[in-house]
Amino acid sequence: MDSSLLKRWLAAIAWLALVSYTVLFSPADDPQTLDLIRRLSLGQWQGINPLIVALFNAMGLWPLLYGPLLLIDGHQRGWRAWPFAIASFGAGAFALLPYFVFRPLQPGVEPATWPPFLQKLDRRWLALPLAVAIALLGALALQGDPADFVQQFQSSRFIHVMTLDFVCLTLLFPVLLLEDAYRRSDRRRFWAWIGFLPLLGAVIYQGWRFPLPTAKPLSASDEATAAAIS
């Protein structure tokens, strides 16, 4: 089976499994969930396990790490990736897995130039503020109570599904990373392992990846040769 088709089938299976598990097997809704989400969103973190605060904010970083690579991939394939990138801010892997299911199987040719907004999103220095944010979240998570987190994971659908969503995003990112590295003619094998580092692997890749390739325009002699062959 073609690798692109295999990826599509695996993404479809993962998507259906994630949705089915959430509906059928995740814990019951907690009456306090809406209040917890409100407090987390407004920064009212008093009395909330720092591990939960760190996880909630980490879920907001993932779309920023996925977004540029999704838009680049979608542009090359002639497929609109921005709806999936925007939806991932609220739905995480539930929104991103369908992108891998429905996108065209094969990427198109390299464009002669990439749109200016994609070139700006591809700047290496953008990894720096994301790295600082990840470091702060890591320090916050170290202050958390693992036993309390496990108890809430077992009893709260929101915490349970958010944790699984984070794991899915972590496991899915290396697929996009390796495709992007291949696009840039970057054959360094360590990316396959670094990509699995939650959040950190994505930032390392953003800081050290190769520039975006561009198709070289044909010279006058190349055009004449192509015309003669045709």
Side-chain angles (χ1 to χ4, degrees):
M1 181 183 292
D2 180 78
S3 62
S4 297
L5 185 59
L6 178 61
K7 289 177 185 177
R8 171 173 289 183
W9 277 106
L10 290 176
I13 293 170
W15 183 30
L16 292 174
L18 183 61
V19 173
S20 299
Y21 180 87
T22 298
V23 174
L24 300 175
F25 301 107
S26 61
D29 287 325
D30 188 331
Q32 304 299 320
T33 294
L34 291 179
D35 181 64
L36 175 61
I37 295 175
R38 180 187 64 81
R39 292 169 60 197
L40 287 168
S41 302
L42 297 177
Q44 300 173 356
W45 300 340
Q46 298 82 359
I48 302 177
N49 188 337
L51 271 171
I52 294 175
V53 176
L55 177 61
F56 181 82
N57 285 277
M59 294 301 296
L61 287 181
W62 267 129
L64 298 177
L65 295 166
Y66 268 91
L69 300 190
L70 280 176
L71 295 175
I72 289 169
D73 185 73
H75 180 76
Q76 186 181 6
R77 293 174 187 268
W79 182 253
R80 293 184 178 180
W82 63 264
F84 301 91
I86 293 176
S88 68
F89 279 95
F94 291 89
L96 290 180
L97 282 169
Y99 173 80
F100 292 90
V101 174
F102 296 114
R103 68 178 180 173
L105 289 177
Q106 299 297 334
V109 298
E110 301 294 351
T113 58
W114 294 88
F117 78 95
L118 285 182
Q119 296 181 35
K120 292 179 180 179
L121 289 177
D122 203 54
R123 303 290 172 81
R124 289 182 173 182
W125 67 266
L126 291 175
L128 181 58
L130 292 172
V132 172
I134 292 172
L136 293 175
L137 291 182
L140 180 63
L142 291 175
Q143 303 174 29
D145 182 348
D148 174 73
F149 181 85
V150 170
Q151 189 277 325
Q152 296 201 53
F153 174 81
Q154 295 173 340
S155 61
S156 169
R157 171 172 289 189
F158 172 64
I159 304 301
H160 192 93
V161 173
M162 182 167 59
T163 304
L164 295 181
D165 197 356
F166 182 87
V167 173
C168 287
L169 291 172
T170 301
L171 296 177
L172 181 63
F173 190 81
V175 175
L176 195 61
L177 184 155
L178 291 176
E179 290 181 352
D180 190 73
Y182 183 82
R183 177 183 297 114
R184 299 165 193 264
S185 299
D186 187 346
R187 302 297 191 269
R188 290 176 286 182
R189 295 183 179 180
F190 55 75
W191 289 133
W193 303 103
I194 290 178
F196 283 105
L197 295 175
L199 298 175
L200 186 59
V203 169
I204 293 173
Y205 178 70
Q206 183 169 344
W208 277 274
R209 62 192 175 195
F210 289 173
L212 277 173
T214 54
K216 296 180 180 179
L218 293 176
S219 64
S221 59
D222 291 334
E223 291 179 349
T225 301
I229 293 175
S230 60

mmCIF file of all heavy atoms in Angstrom, residues 49-65:
data_model
loop_
_atom_site.group_PDB
_atom_site.id
_atom_site.type_symbol
_atom_site.label_atom_id
_atom_site.label_comp_id
_atom_site.label_asym_id
_atom_site.label_seq_id
_atom_site.Cartn_x
_atom_site.Cartn_y
_atom_site.Cartn_z
ATOM 1 N N ASN A 49 -4.836 22.556 40.413
ATOM 2 C CA ASN A 49 -3.578 21.820 40.317
ATOM 3 C C ASN A 49 -2.714 22.416 39.195
ATOM 4 O O ASN A 49 -3.153 22.501 38.047
ATOM 5 C CB ASN A 49 -3.865 20.349 40.026
ATOM 6 C CG ASN A 49 -2.633 19.466 40.108
ATOM 7 O OD1 ASN A 49 -1.504 19.915 39.973
ATOM 8 N ND2 ASN A 49 -2.860 18.188 40.334
ATOM 9 N N PRO A 50 -1.469 22.853 39.491
ATOM 10 C CA PRO A 50 -0.616 23.422 38.441
ATOM 11 C C PRO A 50 -0.403 22.509 37.241
ATOM 12 O O PRO A 50 -0.176 22.989 36.134
ATOM 13 C CB PRO A 50 0.709 23.678 39.180
ATOM 14 C CG PRO A 50 0.312 23.895 40.604
ATOM 15 C CD PRO A 50 -0.849 22.958 40.827
ATOM 16 N N LEU A 51 -0.493 21.200 37.449
ATOM 17 C CA LEU A 51 -0.375 20.286 36.315
ATOM 18 C C LEU A 51 -1.514 20.497 35.316
ATOM 19 O O LEU A 51 -1.305 20.452 34.092
ATOM 20 C CB LEU A 51 -0.383 18.836 36.802
ATOM 21 C CG LEU A 51 0.971 18.217 37.159
ATOM 22 C CD1 LEU A 51 0.763 16.868 37.822
ATOM 23 C CD2 LEU A 51 1.844 18.093 35.922
ATOM 24 N N ILE A 52 -2.705 20.741 35.838
ATOM 25 C CA ILE A 52 -3.858 20.983 34.963
ATOM 26 C C ILE A 52 -3.718 22.326 34.271
ATOM 27 O O ILE A 52 -4.023 22.470 33.077
ATOM 28 C CB ILE A 52 -5.162 20.907 35.777
ATOM 29 C CG1 ILE A 52 -5.370 19.484 36.292
ATOM 30 C CG2 ILE A 52 -6.356 21.352 34.938
ATOM 31 C CD1 ILE A 52 -6.555 19.326 37.209
ATOM 32 N N VAL A 53 -3.223 23.322 34.982
ATOM 33 C CA VAL A 53 -2.997 24.639 34.382
ATOM 34 C C VAL A 53 -1.974 24.532 33.250
ATOM 35 O O VAL A 53 -2.165 25.090 32.160
ATOM 36 C CB VAL A 53 -2.516 25.645 35.443
ATOM 37 C CG1 VAL A 53 -2.196 26.992 34.793
ATOM 38 C CG2 VAL A 53 -3.568 25.825 36.530
ATOM 39 N N ALA A 54 -0.888 23.802 33.501
ATOM 40 C CA ALA A 54 0.154 23.644 32.489
ATOM 41 C C ALA A 54 -0.380 22.897 31.270
ATOM 42 O O ALA A 54 -0.103 23.275 30.118
ATOM 43 C CB ALA A 54 1.351 22.910 33.083
ATOM 44 N N LEU A 55 -1.155 21.848 31.497
ATOM 45 C CA LEU A 55 -1.702 21.079 30.386
ATOM 46 C C LEU A 55 -2.663 21.921 29.551
ATOM 47 O O LEU A 55 -2.621 21.889 28.318
ATOM 48 C CB LEU A 55 -2.426 19.842 30.927
ATOM 49 C CG LEU A 55 -3.126 18.957 29.895
ATOM 50 C CD1 LEU A 55 -2.119 18.397 28.893
ATOM 51 C CD2 LEU A 55 -3.883 17.820 30.586
ATOM 52 N N PHE A 56 -3.517 22.688 30.214
ATOM 53 C CA PHE A 56 -4.485 23.528 29.506
ATOM 54 C C PHE A 56 -3.765 24.537 28.609
ATOM 55 O O PHE A 56 -4.153 24.737 27.449
ATOM 56 C CB PHE A 56 -5.371 24.256 30.522
ATOM 57 C CG PHE A 56 -6.414 25.137 29.909
ATOM 58 C CD1 PHE A 56 -7.612 24.612 29.448
ATOM 59 C CD2 PHE A 56 -6.202 26.509 29.787
ATOM 60 C CE1 PHE A 56 -8.586 25.426 28.881
ATOM 61 C CE2 PHE A 56 -7.170 27.329 29.225
ATOM 62 C CZ PHE A 56 -8.360 26.789 28.769
ATOM 63 N N ASN A 57 -2.712 25.153 29.132
ATOM 64 C CA ASN A 57 -1.972 26.140 28.345
ATOM 65 C C ASN A 57 -1.124 25.475 27.264
ATOM 66 O O ASN A 57 -0.916 26.062 26.192
ATOM 67 C CB ASN A 57 -1.099 26.991 29.266
ATOM 68 C CG ASN A 57 -1.905 28.007 30.057
ATOM 69 O OD1 ASN A 57 -2.230 29.081 29.571
ATOM 70 N ND2 ASN A 57 -2.243 27.673 31.293
ATOM 71 N N ALA A 58 -0.654 24.265 27.544
ATOM 72 C CA ALA A 58 0.094 23.533 26.516
ATOM 73 C C ALA A 58 -0.784 23.237 25.310
ATOM 74 O O ALA A 58 -0.316 23.257 24.164
ATOM 75 C CB ALA A 58 0.659 22.244 27.095
ATOM 76 N N MET A 59 -2.069 22.970 25.564
ATOM 77 C CA MET A 59 -2.986 22.723 24.458
ATOM 78 C C MET A 59 -3.150 23.962 23.577
ATOM 79 O O MET A 59 -3.490 23.857 22.396
ATOM 80 C CB MET A 59 -4.344 22.274 24.993
ATOM 81 C CG MET A 59 -4.322 20.918 25.684
ATOM 82 S SD MET A 59 -3.747 19.591 24.608
ATOM 83 C CE MET A 59 -5.033 19.585 23.367
ATOM 84 N N GLY A 60 -2.907 25.136 24.145
ATOM 85 C CA GLY A 60 -2.947 26.356 23.351
ATOM 86 C C GLY A 60 -1.680 26.583 22.542
ATOM 87 O O GLY A 60 -1.695 27.322 21.552
ATOM 88 N N LEU A 61 -0.579 25.937 22.947
ATOM 89 C CA LEU A 61 0.676 26.069 22.201
ATOM 90 C C LEU A 61 0.720 25.143 20.990
ATOM 91 O O LEU A 61 1.330 25.481 19.971
ATOM 92 C CB LEU A 61 1.869 25.763 23.112
ATOM 93 C CG LEU A 61 2.237 26.805 24.160
ATOM 94 C CD1 LEU A 61 3.457 26.343 24.958
ATOM 95 C CD2 LEU A 61 2.534 28.152 23.501
ATOM 96 N N TRP A 62 0.088 23.980 21.102
ATOM 97 C CA TRP A 62 0.158 23.027 19.998
ATOM 98 C C TRP A 62 -0.310 23.622 18.665
ATOM 99 O O TRP A 62 0.346 23.433 17.633
ATOM 100 C CB TRP A 62 -0.653 21.769 20.326
ATOM 101 C CG TRP A 62 0.113 20.659 20.959
ATOM 102 C CD1 TRP A 62 -0.190 19.975 22.101
ATOM 103 C CD2 TRP A 62 1.319 20.047 20.481
ATOM 104 N NE1 TRP A 62 0.736 19.008 22.363
ATOM 105 C CE2 TRP A 62 1.676 19.023 21.379
ATOM 106 C CE3 TRP A 62 2.139 20.275 19.372
ATOM 107 C CZ2 TRP A 62 2.808 18.227 21.214
ATOM 108 C CZ3 TRP A 62 3.267 19.481 19.196
ATOM 109 C CH2 TRP A 62 3.586 18.480 20.106
ATOM 110 N N PRO A 63 -1.445 24.331 18.616
ATOM 111 C CA PRO A 63 -1.859 24.901 17.318
ATOM 112 C C PRO A 63 -0.836 25.878 16.742
ATOM 113 O O PRO A 63 -0.714 25.986 15.515
ATOM 114 C CB PRO A 63 -3.177 25.617 17.659
ATOM 115 C CG PRO A 63 -3.694 24.891 18.852
ATOM 116 C CD PRO A 63 -2.485 24.538 19.646
ATOM 117 N N LEU A 64 -0.101 26.592 17.614
ATOM 118 C CA LEU A 64 0.921 27.515 17.125
ATOM 119 C C LEU A 64 2.093 26.766 16.507
ATOM 120 O O LEU A 64 2.773 27.286 15.606
ATOM 121 C CB LEU A 64 1.427 28.392 18.280
ATOM 122 C CG LEU A 64 0.383 29.297 18.942
ATOM 123 C CD1 LEU A 64 0.999 30.053 20.111
ATOM 124 C CD2 LEU A 64 -0.209 30.277 17.928
ATOM 125 N N LEU A 65 2.337 25.546 16.986
ATOM 126 C CA LEU A 65 3.426 24.741 16.448
ATOM 127 C C LEU A 65 2.992 23.987 15.190
ATOM 128 O O LEU A 65 3.771 23.827 14.252
ATOM 129 C CB LEU A 65 3.907 23.756 17.518
ATOM 130 C CG LEU A 65 4.536 24.410 18.756
ATOM 131 C CD1 LEU A 65 4.670 23.407 19.894
ATOM 132 C CD2 LEU A 65 5.895 25.003 18.400
#
